[in-house]
């Protein structure tokens, strides 16, 4: 019961929405969330309006290295986008309604599609540093759910999670990747609370229960997006082999460096996918 109470803080969603409506004048087609080391993907935004997290009522500042901590509104590949460069994590001590506040605000602003990215450790043998994983499903091992608390207007109390990720767009991503020369693997993402990296024994357990990669984010946003009826697509950029799956120790700086080096491939794929997503007039 105590854990459940920690999930909900009464985030000022209406106040934050009113502020963003004063800064963002065109409804976004797509909400794009950038994980650790991937913020350079935001450089392709045209007519960008940049909003630091600190300016949005209720938003904390970004507390993790590699997360720039800003919202960016503009156009990319012919689609209106709202980009979240950096995210909020449960392991920082934020309650659930803060962690998923950006995706709720994006839905309220009119976005119908959410694309999530993250940095993750590779568990499957063929997922080396620099690989890209298209998520088919997830395991929520955070033991946290952002829907705990009062039901938000327009959200399902018990959203169906039998297909958390959009099947047509996953198939389109799989078709586009070879055309761009990008190997794309599909699989299951395990979300853990963190912030410590997993032990080798924990990674062996994750492998046994069907995980291909492991990270500390993304799943809360997927749950909140699906509760709003939004379409969701998600990618993991594999920045390291998970503990016990390769040589050496794990280091956050390594995660950031690999993310920057390989993030261009993922950015190219996302930019190719954006025209496939219906705009507001469709």
């Amino acid at each position: 019961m105590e854990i459940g109470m920690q999930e909900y803080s009464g985030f000022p969603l209406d106040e934050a929405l009113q502020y963003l409506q004063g800064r963002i004048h065109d409804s976004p087609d797509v909400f794009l969330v950038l994980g650790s080391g991937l913020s350079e993907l935001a450089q392709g935004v045209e007519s960008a309006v940049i909003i630091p997290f600190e300016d949005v009522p209720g938003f904390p500042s970004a507390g993790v290295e590699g997360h720039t901590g800003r919202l960016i509104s503009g156009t990319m590949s012919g689609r209106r986008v709202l980009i979240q460069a950096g995210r909020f994590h449960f392991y920082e001590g934020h309650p659930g309604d803060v962690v998923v506040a950006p995706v709720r605000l994006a839905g309220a602003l009119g976005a119908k599609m959410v694309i999530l990215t993250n940095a993750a450790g590779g568990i499957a043998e063929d997922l080396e540093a620099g690989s890209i994983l298209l998520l088919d499903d997830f395991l929520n091992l955070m033991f946290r759910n952002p829907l705990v608390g009062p039901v938000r207007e327009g959200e399902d109390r018990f959203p169906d999670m039998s297909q958390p990720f959009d099947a047509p767009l996953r198939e389109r991503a799989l078709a586009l990747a070879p055309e761009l020369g990008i190997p794309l693997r599909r699989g299951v993402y395990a979300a853990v609370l963190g912030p410590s990296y997993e032990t080798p024994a924990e990674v062996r357990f994750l492998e046994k229960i069907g995980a291909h990669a492991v990270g500390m984010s993304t799943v809360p946003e997927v749950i909140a997006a699906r509760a709003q009826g939004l379409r969701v697509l998600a990618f993991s950029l594999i920045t390291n082999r998970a503990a016990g799956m390769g040589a050496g120790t794990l280091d956050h700086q390594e995660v950031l460096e690999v993310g920057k080096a390989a993030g261009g491939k993922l950015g190219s794929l996302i930019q190719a996918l954006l025209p496939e997503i219906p705009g507001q007039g469709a």
Side-chain angles (χ1 to χ4, degrees):
M1 188 68 179
E2 181 181 354
I3 290 176
M5 292 303 292
Q6 293 172 347
E7 301 293 341
Y8 181 72
S9 69
F11 180 86
L13 196 68
D14 290 341
E15 184 181 355
L17 177 61
Q18 184 176 15
Y19 172 80
L20 291 177
Q21 286 172 331
R23 297 290 308 275
I24 299 171
H25 303 297
D26 294 317
S27 296
D29 301 311
V30 180
F31 179 53
L32 174 59
V33 181
L34 304 181
S36 294
L38 294 168
S39 295
E40 291 186 10
L41 298 185
Q43 293 181 356
V45 178
E46 301 173 2
S47 304
V49 175
I50 299 173
I51 305 169
F53 282 175
E54 295 89 343
D55 291 354
V56 182
F59 271 28
S61 59
V64 180
E65 184 183 359
H67 289 247
T68 55
R70 55 187 183 173
L71 298 175
I72 304 158
S73 173
T75 61
M76 180 184 288
S77 299
R79 289 290 174 264
R80 291 190 290 269
V81 297
L82 177 63
I83 294 178
Q84 180 186 346
R87 52 161 47 99
F88 309 129
H89 304 84
F90 277 121
Y91 64 70
E92 296 175 87
H94 299 310
D97 61 336
V98 172
V99 171
V100 301
V103 74
R104 281 176 164 154
L105 288 165
L109 288 168
K112 302 300 182 186
M113 180 75 209
V114 176
I115 299 178
L116 303 163
T117 70
N118 62 59
I123 296 175
E125 289 185 3
D126 58 346
L127 289 178
E128 300 288 345
S131 300
I132 299 174
L133 182 71
L134 173 65
L135 303 194
D136 280 336
D137 208 340
F138 66 74
L139 294 162
N140 185 5
L141 301 178
M142 292 179 164
F143 304 105
R144 301 286 193 278
N145 192 304
L147 304 184
V148 169
V151 183
R152 293 283 188 180
E153 183 178 354
E155 292 188 3
D156 288 341
R157 171 82 284 184
F158 305 107
D160 175 32
M161 300 301 294
S162 58
Q163 294 190 50
F165 301 107
D166 191 82
L169 280 173
R170 277 187 291 137
E171 294 303 320
R172 190 63 190 134
L174 288 166
L176 282 172
E179 297 176 13
L180 299 171
I182 299 173
L184 186 62
R185 174 79 149 78
R186 58 196 301 176
V188 177
Y189 174 86
V192 297
L193 183 59
S196 56
Y197 288 113
E198 306 72 39
T199 68
E202 289 170 336
V203 172
R204 290 194 299 270
F205 166 74
L206 294 173
E207 184 179 31
K208 291 288 187 183
I209 63 174
H212 298 98
V214 57
M216 306 172 191
S217 67
T218 302
V219 165
E221 292 112 315
V222 176
I223 293 171
R226 294 302 302 136
Q228 297 177 78
L230 305 181
R231 301 170 68 189
V232 182
L233 197 65
F235 299 92
S236 288
L237 179 57
I238 305 303
T239 54
N240 55 273
R241 295 288 287 158
M245 295 293 175
T249 58
L250 302 181
D251 178 77
H252 185 61
Q253 194 60 43
E254 174 190 356
V255 168
L256 298 180
E257 290 172 0
V258 175
K260 290 178 181 178
K265 294 189 298 181
L266 181 53
S268 296
L269 180 56
I270 289 173
Q271 288 181 318
L273 272 170
L274 285 175
E276 311 282 333
I277 298 169
Q280 293 291 336

